[in-house]
Amino acid sequence: MPKLTKRFVDALKPVTVDTLYRDSDLKGFGLRAKPSGVLTWVVQYRNKAGRTRKLALGKVGVLTPEEARQLARNALADASKGEDPSADRHAERADLTIAQLVERYLADGPADKPTKKASSWEIDASNLRRHVVPILGSKSLSSVTTADVQRFQRAVTDGKTKAEGKGARKRGRVRVRGGSGTAWRATVVLAGMLAWAVARGMRADNPAKGVRLNKLTKRERFLSGEELARLGEAMATLERQGANGNSLAIVRLLILTGARRTEIASLRWDYVDFERGALRLPDSKTGAKIIPLGAPALDVLAKLPRSAASTWVFPAARGKGYHLGVPAIWRKLVALAGLEGVRLHDLRHGFASFAVADGDSLYLVGKVLGHTQASTTQRYAHLQLDPVRAVADRTARRLARALTGGSGGDNVVKLGSNGQ
């Protein structure tokens, strides 16, 4: 019998029948391999009645050999005390509701997915607690069907979970919206949680598998020069009215940098490199990131007041966190400028659209925005026609003047009636 290590697992070859590999060091600990390629850590023991029981600990890839070995030791220890871990799990599965699964997933899931960012877990928690629990929370995990998941997506699409209430933070309110996009995201998160439950042995299959997701409509709103002028006027108006300076400065920087809202709102002074003209973020949606700054953006930052009491560029008025009031100011700006439906994130699209329309390459624009995949920047490719079209227009005008006998400029050949 081999010792079940990572090296052993990596060297395993596909099997044609269900195969159990027993560990040489820990009696009862094993690895089950299926022809489908699924590898599951298991532990085998005898209960008080002397019957052999087998308990699935988790899948390879979710649990390391060391983690699985420790779980096996715990189960064997429980069995030695007269307990029956397998029976306990079956009873637990029968009683576990989706609401209870949500809390377990949010508590234990981060340990299984260490590379997933805390901000992503916050988004998952919001989708699960505000959409999944109200609709499916009372159902038992074992009773959820594919039809239930499909009905869930339809209900969120129809706005059944739409609500408004207090957020997790002390300040501000949370607006829970319905719609096709919201339902798509909530269903994807639900499917991920159910997949985790399957990997944990809480359920044999994932009822979300095979559900037809809503078709997403890409929202790409580019502000024109005239719309930006109206936005600038609205910002000046609110500034004269005494609106929060931090909110207005954040919006201005979003326009001038193409950065994401949290990247600017959560800036610390030690991230700002005035000498090299850049923001050096130790972490972001795509990991560590450098955001180059143009002169107007540097000017905005240079004029901001600094407080020795806070490391934040935009400190909160109360407490020790950073400023969170941008959405409220943005709603006022949108109303004043007549830009209904424009989102803060559209300012990022606006930066990209201006850069591409001015003739800058998609590669360089992607570098400025911090895109990790070229396909993300490709959405702006159609805007590259603007500088090309300008060349075509100028050339066509010169040729048209030449055709009528006018001056087409240097090196222009006048065409005769026979085209020669």
Side-chain angles (χ1 to χ4, degrees):
M1 288 188 296
K3 182 174 181 179
L4 301 182
T5 62
K6 184 179 184 301
R7 179 177 295 180
F8 174 82
V9 173
D10 291 342
L12 271 182
K13 289 182 170 55
V15 297
T16 55
V17 295
D18 279 12
T19 306
L20 179 65
Y21 299 97
R22 301 179 187 276
D23 186 63
S24 59
D25 281 10
L26 182 61
K27 186 177 180 181
F29 179 45
L31 176 65
R32 185 173 62 202
K34 290 188 174 183
S36 63
V38 175
L39 301 174
T40 307
W41 300 109
V42 297
V43 63
Q44 210 166 9
Y45 63 93
R46 289 185 181 277
N47 62 12
K48 286 191 297 185
R51 293 180 179 175
T52 299
R53 304 297 295 268
K54 192 181 293 180
L55 177 69
L57 302 171
K59 288 186 170 56
V60 170
V62 175
L63 295 176
T64 65
E66 292 74 21
E67 291 169 338
R69 190 181 300 276
Q70 186 56 53
L71 289 176
R73 287 195 186 98
N74 296 342
L76 291 169
D78 290 341
S80 69
K81 298 173 188 175
E83 298 177 17
D84 193 338
S86 181
D88 291 344
R89 176 179 289 180
H90 283 292
E92 182 183 40
R93 285 179 193 166
D95 297 331
L96 191 68
T97 65
I98 292 297
Q100 291 169 330
L101 176 64
V102 165
E103 296 310 314
R104 181 170 298 186
Y105 175 60
L106 295 175
D108 299 343
D112 294 341
K113 302 178 180 180
T115 59
K116 188 170 179 176
K117 293 184 177 296
S119 58
S120 296
W121 281 109
E122 287 181 13
I123 294 170
D124 283 3
S126 178
N127 276 297
L128 291 170
R129 288 174 176 151
R130 300 184 187 282
H131 298 295
V132 174
V133 171
I135 294 175
L136 297 174
S138 62
K139 292 186 72 69
S140 65
L141 172 59
S142 60
S143 70
V144 176
T145 65
T146 299
D148 288 328
V149 178
Q150 197 75 64
R151 280 192 291 269
F152 162 78
Q153 182 177 225
R154 193 178 309 120
V156 178
T157 301
D158 293 342
K160 297 291 178 63
T161 53
K162 187 176 180 180
E164 183 174 343
K166 287 187 176 181
R169 296 185 177 96
K170 292 182 180 179
R171 304 185 304 281
R173 298 181 70 79
V174 173
R175 289 176 173 82
V176 182
R177 297 178 174 86
S180 181
T182 299
W184 181 91
R185 284 185 290 273
T187 306
V188 168
V189 173
L190 170 61
M193 179 182 71
L194 292 171
W196 177 84
V198 171
R200 281 289 187 106
M202 298 179 184
R203 181 177 165 129
D205 65 319
N206 186 345
K209 190 173 183 179
V211 167
R212 181 174 294 179
L213 293 171
N214 288 347
K215 187 174 181 180
L216 287 181
T217 302
K218 289 185 178 179
R219 295 182 61 185
E220 295 173 4
R221 177 69 159 84
F222 309 124
L223 293 181
S224 67
E226 186 271 334
E227 287 175 323
L228 275 172
R230 287 182 356 228
L231 180 58
E233 290 175 7
M235 292 173 70
T237 298
L238 289 187
E239 191 170 19
R240 287 193 297 270
Q241 294 175 356
N244 187 281
N246 277 344
S247 288
L248 292 174
I250 290 171
V251 171
R252 193 173 296 276
L253 283 173
L254 291 175
I255 295 170
L256 297 175
T257 64
R260 296 180 177 88
R261 185 180 82 190
T262 53
E263 292 171 347
I264 297 300
S266 64
L267 265 184
R268 295 180 184 270
W269 281 114
D270 56 356
Y271 299 169
V272 184
D273 187 341
F274 281 103
E275 184 178 348
R276 292 177 175 80
L279 302 178
R280 299 181 178 276
L281 308 183
D283 194 21
S284 72
K285 182 180 178 180
T286 54
K289 179 179 180 181
I290 296 177
I291 300 175
L293 298 174
L298 284 168
D299 188 53
V300 172
L301 288 165
K303 290 178 179 178
L304 292 173
R306 297 183 67 161
S307 170
S310 177
T311 61
W312 302 108
V313 174
F314 303 104
R318 296 188 302 275
K320 297 182 179 180
Y322 59 84
H323 182 68
L324 300 171
V326 179
I329 285 291
W330 180 249
R331 287 192 290 273
K332 293 181 180 179
L333 287 171
V334 165
L336 273 175
L339 298 173
E340 185 179 352
V342 176
R343 307 165 300 162
L344 268 169
H345 192 72
D346 292 328
L347 299 179
R348 181 170 167 84
H349 293 318
F351 184 95
S353 67
F354 267 67
V356 173
D358 278 344
D360 293 310
S361 72
L362 292 178
Y363 173 78
L364 290 177
V365 173
K367 285 292 184 184
V368 173
L369 295 179
H371 290 163
T372 56
Q373 295 181 340
S375 59
T376 307
T377 320
Q378 195 63 35
R379 73 180 75 174
Y380 306 110
H382 66 285
L383 296 171
Q384 286 185 312
L385 286 175
D386 286 356
V388 175
R389 191 180 294 112
V391 172
D393 183 65
R394 287 195 303 270
T395 305
R397 286 178 185 277
R398 293 174 68 191
L399 288 168
R401 287 196 299 271
L403 280 171
T404 58
S407 174
D410 296 338
N411 301 320
V412 174
V413 179
K414 293 185 179 180
L415 301 179
S417 60
N418 63 355
Q420 296 179 349

